Amino acid sequence: MHSASIPTTDHPDLAAPTHARQRVIGHVAAAQPGPCLLCIGAMHGNEPAGVAALMSVISTLTGGAGVELQRGDIHAYVGNTRALQAGRRQVDADMNRIWLRSARKRLDSAVDAERGDSLNPPGSGEGMNSEGRDQIELYRALQAAIDQARGPVYVVDLHTTSSPSCPFIVLGDTLRNRKFARVLPVPLVLGLEEQIDGTLQEFMTASGHVAIGYEGGQHDAHESVAHHEAAVWLLMASLGMVGPTAPARQKHTESLTVLRQASSRMPPVMQIDSRLALKPGDAFELARRFRNFESVQKRQPLATMNGKSLTASHAGRIILPLLQAQGSDGYFLGRDIRPAWLTLSTLMRTIGADEILHLLPGVRKHPDREETLIVDPSIARWWSAELFHLLGYRVRRRQGSVMIVSRRNHGGTLGR
Ligand SMILES: [Zn+2]
């Protein structure tokens, strides 16, 4: 049931911390300038694996184990400090749904007002709910790090799932985000950002930074900490921040092995097609305890909601099935994408071919709306749903015989 109890943990590193609420896990600065990597754990308070992993990474980098930061800065933060302390996904609201475009002005003015003051001044965020206060505090910390960055800024937001899962990546589909994520040998899930609004990674991408979300595995699984650690090491290595000492190379090899083993037999790219949204009070129950990414057949029963049976609209995969009491996504339905489409779409975007799609027969620009095309599939025979998806377009609706497709402008980057 949607009201099932939260699984408890027996993992010593994952026990809800009893110490004081803490934002900063650590900051390591290399002597040489370089990339600024911002890592966030526990944006959801019942996902402590990312925090445990970041503590381990920082202590390895500072512990004299021969793995030192060579270039740039790594900053590690707790996302939702109050929910982490409470051991709950959230206190008042989902903290990874409140980074909306409409929040930017408020957040920026809060930073401007406090710039130069401490990262967590007393009395800030009065009249706000718990996540609103954590959001301002986190944003202030991130902006302070960005102000002092000595190179390009990269963001990785570490999460875990309620269902058993291999590690995977979610990202706003820009070429720079794809390139950053490519170093991790785990599945890439596209299209989540089209289904949910207000994630930190989308917000940071729109701010002009490179940002990805990374899911390390199930909330309480021992391996999730190792999956998070491995990802952070590989990202640092790909940015040229660590190495080339023997212990650093060893870390790199171990990290690759851990993630390759965890993701073996998984498709490299998947696309989310639809989301089952839950409202508070909905009685939701999965048909069984699905694993994340389990294959499903067309019309296979997936869940019941308020007494009604829900079946798969197409053959594909069930993604992020909800096995906990808290959350507003029952499940997502998606499908595998052939990696060749990813390569082709990267090439098309690189040469700007995605800008001239409207010159093709059967495709024209929408007269009123930016980044929107009207497609007549009976004429546009070259049409492929996958290709449009991978160029960043989504089918908005069908109007008679034509389709309206549009794409998000990621903060003016148009997916580049
Ligand atoms: Zn999460």
Side-chain angles (χ1 to χ4, degrees):
M1 291 294 292
H2 190 42
S3 57
S5 68
I6 310 158
T8 53
T9 178
D10 58 354
H11 192 299
D13 295 339
L14 300 185
T18 50
H19 52 71
R21 192 169 67 82
Q22 190 186 330
R23 171 77 49 205
V24 178
I25 298 169
H27 168 210
V28 183
Q32 270 194 63
C36 174
L37 180 62
L38 306 175
C39 308
I40 297 106
M43 184 70 83
H44 294 126
N46 61 338
E47 301 176 14
V51 176
L54 291 172
M55 288 168 76
S56 171
V57 168
I58 296 289
S59 89
T60 303
L61 283 172
T62 53
V67 191
E68 278 159 23
L69 205 67
Q70 304 256 318
R71 294 170 61 228
D73 296 80
I74 176 171
H75 296 263
Y77 301 104
V78 173
N80 193 337
T81 59
R82 291 166 179 84
L84 178 65
Q85 215 173 18
R88 290 155 58 187
R89 178 176 169 89
Q90 63 200 58
V91 178
D92 296 314
D94 188 330
M95 192 168 161
N96 209 26
R97 302 288 185 277
I98 58 176
W99 300 88
L100 297 161
R101 198 183 301 190
S102 56
R104 185 177 296 279
K105 230 173 125 184
R106 174 175 58 80
L107 290 169
D108 281 337
S109 57
V111 167
D112 288 344
E114 302 290 340
R115 209 177 283 258
D117 289 359
S118 83
L119 292 183
N120 190 3
S124 69
E126 271 167 42
M128 264 177 229
N129 70 18
S130 181
E131 274 72 22
R133 289 199 292 274
D134 257 278
Q135 183 187 29
I136 286 211
E137 291 165 15
L138 175 61
Y139 189 63
R140 207 175 266 141
L142 294 173
Q143 283 303 128
I146 291 167
D147 283 350
Q148 287 159 21
R150 298 174 292 160
V153 174
Y154 297 83
V155 181
V156 57
D157 188 14
L158 304 176
H159 288 258
T160 48
T161 55
S162 63
S163 51
S165 176
C166 69
F168 63 99
I169 299 155
V170 289
L171 48 73
D173 192 11
T174 70
L175 290 186
R176 294 198 308 156
N177 287 349
R178 277 190 196 180
K179 190 176 169 208
F180 181 48
R182 198 177 52 190
V183 62
L184 303 178
V186 301
L188 171 61
V189 176
L190 296 170
L192 193 67
E193 83 282 7
E194 295 293 324
Q195 302 288 340
I196 55 177
D197 282 324
T199 64
L200 175 70
Q201 60 179 86
E202 184 77 19
F203 190 88
M204 296 308 273
T205 298
S207 306
H209 309 302
V210 176
I212 62 170
Y214 175 81
E215 301 275 355
Q218 202 269 340
H219 295 331
D220 307 299
H222 294 222
E223 312 83 75
S224 299
V225 178
H227 296 163
H228 279 315
E229 268 196 78
V232 175
W233 284 116
L234 291 176
L235 291 172
M236 282 195 295
S238 79
L239 295 172
M241 296 172 71
V242 288
T245 61
R249 276 204 298 273
Q250 170 90 3
K251 271 270 173 218
H252 189 262
T253 309
E254 283 169 11
S255 300
L256 271 180
T257 307
V258 162
L259 294 189
R260 279 189 185 135
Q261 279 173 356
S263 308
S264 62
R265 286 179 289 122
M266 289 302 299
V269 193
M270 285 170 274
Q271 162 74 45
I272 286 179
D273 297 316
S274 62
R275 163 185 181 237
L276 178 76
L278 299 180
K279 297 184 299 300
D282 277 338
F284 173 78
E285 190 173 13
L286 287 164
R288 60 185 173 77
R289 292 184 70 83
F290 288 101
R291 283 187 64 83
N292 189 26
F293 301 130
E294 221 179 290
S295 294
V296 296
Q297 300 306 313
K298 187 174 180 177
R299 285 191 282 276
Q300 178 178 335
L302 300 181
T304 55
M305 185 162 80
N306 303 327
K308 215 179 117 206
S309 173
L310 303 170
T311 59
S313 57
H314 62 76
R317 291 181 190 269
I318 187 167
I319 299 178
L320 293 170
L322 185 71
L323 293 178
Q324 66 187 3
Q326 313 161 70
S328 55
D329 313 314
Y331 56 78
F332 298 86
L333 196 61
R335 68 182 84 207
D336 300 1
I337 295 278
R338 281 168 291 169
W341 285 122
L342 202 67
T343 310
L344 178 60
S345 65
T346 298
L347 179 68
M348 286 182 73
R349 285 192 196 183
T350 306
I351 63 173
D354 53 328
E355 294 299 314
I356 52 167
L357 290 177
H358 61 278
L359 299 178
L360 290 159
V363 183
R364 62 196 148 97
K365 280 185 176 172
H366 194 284
D368 307 320
R369 262 173 276 154
E370 277 180 49
E371 296 304 316
T372 304
L373 301 172
I374 301 171
V375 181
D376 183 343
S378 68
I379 300 172
R381 296 207 175 275
W382 52 275
W383 155 271
S384 134
E386 275 111 333
L387 190 54
F388 261 113
H389 275 155
L390 293 172
L391 293 174
Y393 286 91
R394 298 291 178 269
V395 178
R396 296 302 169 194
R397 65 201 141 82
R398 283 159 212 276
Q399 230 171 40
S401 64
V402 299
M403 275 183 294
I404 312 291
V405 303
S406 68
R407 68 175 173 181
R408 256 185 216 189
N409 184 342
H410 293 277
T413 61
L414 284 176
R416 287 199 167 69

